[in-house]
Amino acid sequence: MNRTGIVQDPIYMEHVMDPGHPESPERLKVIYRMLEEEKELPLVGVKPRPATREELETTHSPVYIDRIASTAGKQHFRLDMDTSTSAKSYEAALLAAGGFCELTKAVWDGQLDNGFALVRPPGHHAERDRAMGFCLFNNVAIGAYYAINAFSLERILIVDWDVHHGNGTQHEFYADPRVLYFSTHRYGFFYPGTGGATEVGTGKGEGFTVNVPLPSGSGDLEYVTIFETILKPIALQYRPQLVLVSAGFDIHYNDPLGGMEVTEKGFGELTRVLMEIAEATAQGKLVFTLEGGYDIEGEKQSVRTVLRELSQAFPPEKKDHTEKEKGKNQPLEQMILQLREIQGRYWKNL
Ligand SMILES: [Zn+2]
């Protein structure tokens, strides 16, 4: 059994955008309620702290940080077409980024084996000087820089399975080989529009960005196959010292925005592949942070599955249909061939 940490705090539900906005406090309310019911899950709470100014400035410009700070105490402030703040949003955003850093520290120090920051607002769309797509501060990027600086790390793998491409995270590390950014996402007339397979990084970072654009309707088979045949060989060659995950549950089959078909069981299988990678190269050090996910019930069940997998508190379920169906899916085979051609220049294992 693993010691799995979680970050949870009522402050994360005090960030409220427009009425009826899908990125609502309800998302966490339901997850937190589930955690109360799941008494048999051996989870360890990690108390969040606000991210420091210095930590924020690794990822965001001083002007942008000041702009977000200026929203504190204001009832409603619009930052972007679909992103706004309430009086406590700044505080929540500081604690989301800082909570992820604290959890990462506890895992790195060995107090915990792995963990999941159940926080809002999400982060992977946030750019250096711009709020985007429901995101204020880029939690996973701030956490990666924190680990690089605090523990002198040289290789961090960020895996982003949210249905949307993590443009902010990609841009942050596009020229930086210390972070390998791997993203699966829906692509083609879909927000935010970045994340083509030929976007591979630049300069010293060339080859350290891996984009897997997927068509709508992709499900367990596609995702697990991509994780096994593309992510795993690349990761085993890169040998990350730490694995961070932008976990978006908007690839769930019931999600109103995503259009993908991943089941709860699929989330468990993806988590297992990530655990295998982390165990092989990073002493199992694996830290998740919550990104999107807008079907409240589907998200809750999927987070439960991920936590069960991370904690290894229950015997794993058997794989079945994904194995049987392998090789029958032509668009998937073509995507794998294309990715091998593009990324094979950098990754001999592929
Ligand atoms: Zn998303």
Side-chain angles (χ1 to χ4, degrees):
M1 212 192 297
N2 283 329
R3 288 161 301 167
T4 297
I6 49 163
V7 175
Q8 69 176 115
D9 196 287
I11 185 69
Y12 301 129
M13 296 181 286
E14 304 231 10
H15 161 61
V16 184
M17 296 197 278
D18 302 304
H21 197 293
E23 208 290 279
S24 70
E26 193 64 21
R27 296 178 61 223
L28 278 185
K29 226 173 263 172
V30 170
I31 292 172
Y32 289 178
R33 208 176 301 140
M34 175 269 289
L35 292 174
E36 274 169 37
E37 291 160 15
E38 288 272 316
K39 291 285 182 224
E40 72 272 34
L41 267 178
L43 303 172
V44 184
V46 172
K47 196 174 156 44
R49 59 158 175 89
T52 65
R53 178 82 188 192
E54 201 184 350
E55 286 163 355
L56 295 175
E57 284 188 7
T58 57
T59 303
H60 297 287
S61 69
V63 174
Y64 175 72
I65 298 166
D66 290 343
R67 183 157 185 244
I68 302 299
S70 76
T71 69
K74 289 179 188 153
Q75 213 55 6
H76 189 264
F77 191 91
R78 178 156 303 282
L79 293 161
D80 180 53
M81 198 173 60
D82 53 16
T83 313
S84 58
T85 58
S86 56
K88 295 262 180 105
S89 294
Y90 174 60
E91 193 184 340
L94 286 178
L95 280 150
F100 184 60
C101 293
E102 273 306 279
L103 180 62
T104 301
K105 180 179 191 292
V107 170
W108 182 260
D109 287 348
Q111 296 159 36
L112 298 170
D113 295 302
N114 52 37
F116 199 151
L118 295 162
V119 301
R120 290 176 63 248
H124 72 154
H125 293 303
E127 295 275 358
R128 183 153 277 266
D129 52 9
R130 188 177 162 202
M132 265 181 75
F134 322 161
C135 299
L136 302 184
F137 295 137
N138 193 321
N139 304 321
V140 81
I142 292 166
Y145 278 122
Y146 167 76
I148 286 169
N149 295 329
F151 318 127
S152 306
L153 299 196
E154 292 169 346
R155 290 179 314 281
I156 294 178
L157 169 65
I158 297 180
V159 176
D160 185 336
W161 77 37
D162 190 280
V163 76
H164 304 97
H165 181 242
N167 55 287
T169 313
Q170 169 166 309
H171 291 152
E172 200 55 53
F173 301 110
Y174 208 55
D176 191 343
R178 296 174 302 176
V179 173
L180 194 163
Y181 178 63
F182 177 97
S183 174
T184 47
H185 46 272
R186 184 169 159 189
Y187 190 70
F189 304 103
F190 196 71
Y191 189 86
T194 47
T198 54
E199 294 169 27
V200 296
T202 188
K204 283 188 180 152
E206 188 179 341
F208 297 97
T209 293
V210 180
N211 280 304
V212 183
L214 294 169
S216 63
S218 301
D220 294 358
L221 169 69
E222 287 81 6
Y223 276 87
V224 175
T225 305
I226 292 288
F227 269 47
E228 290 278 7
T229 61
I230 304 293
L231 171 62
K232 203 171 184 184
I234 290 176
L236 294 182
Q237 192 179 336
Y238 181 64
R239 300 199 63 77
Q241 297 159 290
L242 174 69
V243 182
L244 306 180
V245 184
S246 271
F249 294 88
D250 40 13
I251 54 174
H252 186 273
Y253 66 92
N254 260 343
D255 192 89
L257 306 184
M260 295 305 200
E261 299 288 336
V262 176
T263 68
E264 282 108 35
K265 194 158 158 290
F267 283 107
E269 291 185 24
L270 297 181
T271 305
R272 198 176 316 148
V273 178
L274 295 175
M275 290 175 77
E276 286 165 9
I277 291 169
E279 273 153 26
T281 82
Q283 299 161 290
K285 295 181 191 307
L286 176 62
V287 193
F288 281 58
T289 187
L290 185 65
E291 300 285 359
Y294 308 103
D295 176 61
I296 305 278
E297 184 62 23
E299 180 175 56
K300 177 189 86 175
Q301 297 295 357
S302 305
V303 168
R304 185 208 306 259
T305 307
V306 169
L307 289 171
R308 282 179 171 229
E309 198 65 45
L310 285 176
S311 68
Q312 292 288 292
F314 304 91
E317 285 176 41
K318 276 258 175 292
K319 287 185 188 179
D320 47 28
H321 70 284
T322 49
E323 290 297 333
K324 274 180 266 165
E325 287 172 19
K326 245 179 211 174
K328 283 184 196 165
N329 182 319
Q330 227 183 351
L332 177 62
E333 301 252 297
Q334 273 169 2
M335 170 53 67
I336 288 170
L337 283 177
Q338 192 199 350
L339 286 166
R340 284 202 174 120
E341 199 177 309
I342 294 167
Q343 293 289 344
R345 276 176 278 164
Y346 312 108
W347 305 104
K348 299 283 170 267
N349 282 2
L350 210 55

